[in-house]
Amino acid sequence: MTITVVGIIGYTGRMGQAIARSIESHPTAALCGGVTRKQTLSEQHENSPLIVTDNPEELFPHCDVIVDFSHPTVTPMFARIAAQHGKAFLSGTTGLEEEGYAVLKEVAEKIPVLHAANTSLSLAVTRRLVRQAAALLKDLDYDISILDKHHRWKKDAPSGTALTLGQSALEGNEGTHEPTYASIRSGAIVGEHDVLFSGAGETINIQHTVTDRKVFARGAVQAAVWLAAQKPGFYAMDDVLGV
Ligand code: NAD
């Protein structure tokens, strides 16, 4: 049995910790450590059997795949370092600028890269439903509105998932109806998305709700194990699921 060794960027974060727990219960993944900002390192990390560091050069050589849930300003830099070490790179970080995506695509010529604004496995199904609904309503008079609800600490709005769902709608209707977006940041909501197709007197609502970060973490670990075995290239969750 092949074991895939994973390193996490954003190790001390909400997602980093959920991914670390998810790896513990995965039959073919093992955690070698994580990267975090210097100010979040503690004595507990120094005494840990894992490599927990603010220096990716100390961690990356020991990994098969790097999983990044950190901050959009640093994701491109970590992707370049992963490429220098020839390691697969999965990023779930949202809010990347165009230049950030360009870097991910550039390094995908050397290493396998996957970017997903939402690593929930069922979101791929939701996207397909949105694409289909938009295609069926293509010639009718209706509006597409996408609402995302997240916890108060989420920095980007609309969410990366909302933009992905909007992209699916545009693929379905070939650009005939542009979606509009609205975001709510409140309390500890993990992640809810509504895609509304509203016509005169009626609305279709396609809703995806995540109540536990475990859902994103499980999908990220499954995708990381898959990615480590791929050739260089730029991949999406649809590729992991074969849809
Ligand atoms: P968080 O703030 O709890 O954690 C961020 C982590 O990144 C921390 O460990 C922090 O120390 C680290 N970090 C930040 N800047 C850094 C730097 N310069 N160098 C090294 N480490 C750095 O955030 P979170 O809720 O865990 O979310 C992280 C990212 O993942 C966000 O972009 C969020 O939108 C995204 N996210 C994606 C999914 C998905 O399914 N793809 C799900 C939830 C969250």
Side-chain angles (χ1 to χ4, degrees):
M1 188 167 50
T2 309
I3 299 292
T4 303
V5 181
V6 184
I8 301 171
I9 304 170
Y11 177 70
T12 57
R14 283 175 287 267
M15 279 306 300
Q17 287 299 293
I19 290 166
R21 284 191 292 276
S22 194
I23 291 171
E24 274 172 24
S25 56
H26 193 283
T28 65
L31 180 64
C32 65
V35 176
T36 187
R37 285 170 302 165
K38 202 178 193 104
Q39 58 267 41
T40 57
L41 287 171
S42 67
E43 205 174 308
Q44 182 202 340
H45 296 134
E46 267 173 41
N47 300 329
S48 163
L50 301 172
I51 306 164
V52 184
T53 173
D54 62 340
N55 180 3
E57 299 289 347
E58 288 174 6
L59 177 71
F60 287 14
H62 305 280
C63 308
D64 297 315
V65 55
I66 310 300
V67 173
D68 160 64
F69 281 74
S70 60
H71 194 275
T73 54
V74 290
T75 293
M77 171 192 75
F78 286 119
R80 283 197 200 281
I81 300 172
Q84 282 158 12
H85 288 273
K87 306 297 178 178
F89 188 80
L90 181 151
S91 179
T93 301
T94 62
L96 286 181
E97 300 284 342
E98 253 176 54
E99 303 85 66
Y101 282 111
V103 170
L104 292 187
K105 290 199 172 138
E106 180 194 315
V107 300
E109 287 172 19
K110 293 198 190 116
I111 54 169
V113 176
L114 187 151
H115 183 264
N118 190 313
T119 48
S120 135
L121 299 171
S122 69
L123 192 86
V125 178
T126 311
R127 287 188 62 186
R128 182 167 281 212
L129 293 173
V130 168
R131 207 175 293 141
Q132 224 168 356
L136 291 168
L137 296 167
K138 183 171 176 265
D139 299 321
L140 303 179
D141 179 22
Y142 71 98
D143 296 319
I144 309 173
S145 313
I146 302 181
L147 172 65
D148 81 273
K149 298 181 214 160
H150 283 91
H151 51 84
R152 62 169 76 118
W153 304 280
K154 184 161 178 68
K155 298 188 176 94
D156 51 322
S159 70
T161 304
L163 296 171
T164 306
L165 289 164
Q167 187 55 41
S168 299
L170 289 169
E171 284 160 16
N173 66 23
E174 296 168 333
T176 54
H177 301 62
E178 278 286 336
T180 57
Y181 298 89
S183 302
I184 291 173
R185 299 287 172 261
S186 181
I189 299 171
V190 176
E192 294 179 23
H193 292 86
D194 288 78
V195 183
L196 308 175
F197 295 87
S198 301
E202 55 188 354
T203 294
I204 298 170
N205 185 2
I206 298 178
Q207 187 175 60
H208 183 263
T209 302
V210 176
T211 52
D212 191 323
R213 263 179 202 92
K214 260 191 245 166
V215 169
F216 302 129
R218 206 166 32 223
V221 176
Q222 183 170 328
V225 169
W226 177 87
L227 189 69
Q230 304 309 308
K231 295 194 181 99
F234 193 71
Y235 299 96
M237 286 304 284
D238 282 6
D239 299 311
V240 181
L241 301 168
V243 295

